[in-house]
Amino acid sequence: MNIHEYQAKELLQKFGVATPRGKVASTPDEAEQIARELGDVDLATGRVRPTGGLVVKAQIHAGGRGKGTFTNGFKGGVHLCKSPAEVRELANKMLGQTLVTHQTGPAGRVVNKVLVAESAEIAREIYFAILLDRATAGSLVVASTEGGVEIETVAAKSPEKIIRESIDPLAGLQSFQARKLAKQLGFDSAQLKAAAKLFDGLFRTFIGLDCSMVEVNPLVVTSKGEVLALDAKFNFDDNALYRHPDIAAMRDIAEEDPREVEASKHGLNYIGLNGNIACLVNGAGLAMATMDIIKFYGGNPANFLDVGGGATEEQVTEAFKILIADKNVQAILVNIFGGIMKCDVIAQGIINAMKTVHLPMPLVVRLEGTNVEAGKKLIVESGLAVIAADDLADAARKAVAAASSKSQAPNPK
């Protein structure tokens, strides 16, 4: 689950991480009022005095907002300004408009909220993140003096500038590690205490909220020597969200693929892709292998869909509904390995689902494992138009061929 920048900053502030003051607005009027509350406004001119400044930032679940372009032609989802009137004007140009960045794809994302915050006079930008290190089952700090740009770019061009510090899962981030990181990142002696405190707050946030990633980019040093988290991105362990109902309530389904939202309602793990062969598989690893072999035989998977080890007939039916709702889908490949989920049970689920949901495209089914013969017999005796496959390679070849013939067939008039 992802959250917006303004939500991330609210969480950081709860753990004592220093961030610029700011509030979120849904209308130009709200944005202007927030600007008046935040800024040191000269009532005679209506402008924010030189001691301060403001920034208006479009709130979407994507990076590259500052370099993005709105479909109405307005450039940039992040703008500095000097007066509440300017804030209102910028909010009016952003709210309700679609922002396209390198991470959103050409479809872009609609901006429903903007963050109005104090701007900072930046002297230095630093990258700082805490990640789940699956190799050690602990936490890992990844940091760099090259802040303000994607860490992937730094890794590709200047890998020597990336600092890594493993954190013991029992001891946590130690004071000496925080000071060590601060020195490696070039903080001067007057800033070491503030930097170490901020690092400690970020780690407590990471652990306390069951995060899989907390990324601050940039972490800045201002011209006054302040150390601030200017922008933040969180990823959470979905399996731990039951412990954090307040965070679960931050979910913004308007930012998510509607198919993924619908799938989550039925306990299905679904990720939409751009291909034309839909996959329905039990098990994440098997789902990945299925997508790989579809590519190997010249096809393109339309999705990742894991129904899990104990899928019910209702879940299978809902899965088919989601798959056929994708207009790009030309064929469906069902790949089931019966372990906990018995093949005859899933076969009956497929049969009942097909009777409930009209499938306008070919269906290829590969069954293997517990009660496989009983499952195959049920499908044959159903009389339904199912293309049976002997193994995974056979299933992939047949699915690719079926999708190709479907896409080349003339449209009925």
Side-chain angles (χ1 to χ4, degrees):
M1 189 187 105
N2 292 322
I3 59 175
H4 288 290
E5 176 190 357
Y6 76 91
Q7 295 168 322
K9 287 184 175 179
E10 289 172 0
L11 293 176
L12 290 178
Q13 289 165 5
K14 290 181 180 180
F15 287 86
V17 177
T19 64
R21 293 187 306 151
K23 291 184 179 180
V24 69
S26 301
T27 67
D29 286 344
E30 288 181 1
E32 182 178 12
Q33 181 58 36
I34 292 168
R36 293 186 180 280
E37 294 171 2
L38 290 176
D40 183 11
V41 179
D42 186 329
L43 297 179
T45 63
R47 297 183 67 81
V48 178
R49 293 193 178 98
T51 53
L54 298 168
V55 60
V56 181
K57 308 176 81 171
Q59 297 297 283
I60 59 172
H61 287 175
R65 291 170 294 166
K67 296 180 181 178
T69 301
F70 289 87
T71 51
N72 63 1
F74 185 58
K75 301 285 187 181
V78 179
H79 286 270
L80 295 171
C81 51
K82 286 292 184 180
S83 73
E86 285 182 78
V87 170
R88 179 189 178 87
E89 181 182 355
L90 287 167
N92 190 52
K93 291 178 179 178
M94 294 183 188
L95 288 167
Q97 300 298 322
T98 301
L99 177 60
V100 179
T101 78
H102 70 280
Q103 288 191 9
T104 65
R109 297 277 179 85
V110 176
V111 177
N112 294 310
K113 290 181 171 65
V114 294
L115 172 64
V116 181
E118 294 175 322
S119 64
E121 292 186 16
I122 300 172
R124 291 183 59 219
E125 293 186 331
I126 294 156
Y127 177 93
F128 192 94
I130 304 175
L131 314 171
L132 175 63
D133 186 356
R134 299 187 185 279
T136 63
S139 308
L140 177 69
V141 171
V142 177
S144 176
T145 54
E146 302 297 305
V149 298
E150 291 82 2
I151 194 64
E152 295 84 0
T153 302
V154 180
K157 296 183 178 180
S158 307
E160 73 281 358
K161 294 183 179 179
I162 295 180
I163 299 166
R164 294 176 175 84
E165 181 75 18
S166 294
I167 303 174
D168 187 281
L170 295 178
L173 180 66
Q174 298 295 291
S175 298
F176 78 88
Q177 289 180 299
R179 292 193 299 271
K180 172 186 170 184
L181 285 165
K183 290 180 180 179
Q184 288 177 310
L185 290 169
F187 288 95
D188 62 36
S189 56
Q191 299 161 355
L192 287 178
K193 184 177 179 180
K197 180 182 178 181
L198 190 145
F199 298 162
D200 178 69
L202 289 174
F203 180 73
R204 288 187 291 106
T205 304
F206 179 84
I207 296 298
L209 300 181
D210 289 305
C211 300
S212 56
M213 181 188 77
V214 175
E215 179 186 71
V216 177
N217 189 25
L219 186 158
V220 302
V221 178
T222 70
S223 57
K224 298 178 181 178
E226 300 168 305
V227 182
L228 302 174
L230 202 60
D231 196 355
K233 182 178 180 181
F234 281 57
N235 283 342
F236 298 96
D237 181 353
D238 291 349
N239 294 318
L241 281 177
Y242 73 93
R243 293 200 290 240
H244 306 283
D246 54 332
I247 294 174
M250 292 180 172
R251 183 182 182 187
D252 185 354
I253 61 175
E255 288 287 318
E256 300 178 30
D257 186 326
R259 299 167 299 178
E260 296 179 17
V261 174
E262 185 63 24
S264 68
K265 293 178 183 177
H266 303 284
L268 302 170
N269 297 309
Y270 176 94
I271 299 173
L273 303 172
N274 298 320
N276 64 351
I277 300 176
C279 307
L280 190 158
V281 189
N282 66 325
L286 187 59
M288 296 295 288
T290 302
M291 293 191 295
D292 285 345
I293 202 164
I294 286 173
K295 290 288 289 184
F296 180 79
Y297 284 105
N300 286 299
N303 64 272
F304 168 100
L305 175 56
D306 171 19
V307 298
T312 64
E313 180 184 320
E314 179 186 1
Q315 285 178 304
V316 175
T317 301
E318 294 301 329
F320 274 123
K321 289 180 181 178
I322 293 168
L323 295 181
I324 66 174
D326 186 342
K327 296 180 180 179
N328 293 326
V329 171
Q330 300 291 334
I332 298 175
L333 170 55
V334 175
N335 183 22
I336 300 297
F337 186 86
I340 299 173
M341 172 58 69
K342 296 179 174 61
C343 289
D344 55 336
V345 175
I346 200 71
Q348 190 61 58
I350 292 170
I351 292 167
N352 294 339
M354 288 183 69
K355 291 178 179 178
T356 303
V357 181
H358 172 66
L359 297 183
M361 68 280 294
L363 173 65
V364 179
V365 176
R366 179 257 183 168
L367 298 175
E368 193 57 74
T370 307
N371 294 353
V372 63
E373 295 304 326
K376 290 180 177 179
K377 182 180 178 182
L378 283 171
I379 290 177
V380 170
E381 292 177 349
S382 71
L384 297 172
V386 175
I387 302 172
D390 296 326
D391 52 40
L392 183 51
D394 183 44
R397 284 193 294 263
K398 288 177 176 177
V400 171
S404 178
S405 61
K406 175 73 174 176
S407 63
Q408 294 172 8
N411 293 324
K413 294 182 180 179

